[in-house]
């Protein structure tokens, strides 16, 4: 499994090309921390604890998804020296331009 690396002040973690909110849409929908920065939901980095909160108690099948998410998050390394950035996937250099909007 690849190690995910993220800036603790970013809002979304990515798993390859997809944001985790897209991989786990049901959990994201139930999250009461949709706007929280990673640093706010990441507890003790040494113990890989995450403080994820939901708007209601999770059903058993949702707990299975949460366990899978926790397994993915267990390898996340937070690096405050890494800058958070936006990327425009329609461009080869990942930067936004009006031309890329009309060329696709």
């Amino acid at each position: 499994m690849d190690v995910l690396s993220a800036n603790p002040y970013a809002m979304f973690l990515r798993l390859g090309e997809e944001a985790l909110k897209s991989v786990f849409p049901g959990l994201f929908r139930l999250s009461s921390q949709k706007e929280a920065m990673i640093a706010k939901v990441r507890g003790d980095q040494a113990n890989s604890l995450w403080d994820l909160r939901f708007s209601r108690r999770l059903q058993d099948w949702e707990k299975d998804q949460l366990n899978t998410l926790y397994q993915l998050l267990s390898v996340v390394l937070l690096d405050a020296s890494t800058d958070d950035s936006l990327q425009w996937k329609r461009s080869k250099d990942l930067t936004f331009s009006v031309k890329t909007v009309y060329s696709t």
Side-chain angles (χ1 to χ4, degrees), residues 1-14:
M1 177 181 291
D2 293 332
V3 174
L4 299 171
S5 180
N7 181 311
Y9 303 105
M11 291 183 69
F12 302 108
L13 281 174
R14 302 191 73 74

Side-chain angles (χ1 to χ4, degrees), residues 88-95 100:
W88 183 251
K89 293 190 181 233
R90 295 182 182 182
S91 167
K92 288 180 183 176
D93 64 358
L94 302 176
T95 58
T100 60

Side-chain angles (χ1 to χ4, degrees), residues 18-87:
E18 282 196 80
L20 286 179
K21 71 177 191 169
S22 299
V23 178
F24 299 96
L27 293 177
F28 184 75
R29 195 171 30 258
L30 293 173
S31 173
S32 57
Q33 302 163 298
K34 290 181 180 77
E35 302 294 323
M37 286 189 229
I38 293 169
K40 295 290 183 185
V41 296
R42 178 67 186 255
D44 182 4
Q45 179 140 354
N47 295 323
S48 297
L49 298 176
W50 291 82
D51 183 21
L52 303 179
R53 298 179 187 182
F54 299 96
S55 59
R56 64 166 171 76
R57 291 181 66 146
L58 298 179
Q59 301 294 326
D60 287 341
W61 61 273
E62 293 165 331
K63 289 177 184 177
D64 291 340
Q65 290 180 352
L66 183 60
N67 286 332
T68 301
L69 175 59
Y70 279 142
Q71 287 176 344
L72 290 172
L73 293 176
S74 70
V75 296
V76 171
L77 300 175
L78 296 182
D79 183 1
S81 67
T82 311
D83 290 331
D84 189 28
S85 64
L86 296 175
Q87 297 179 343

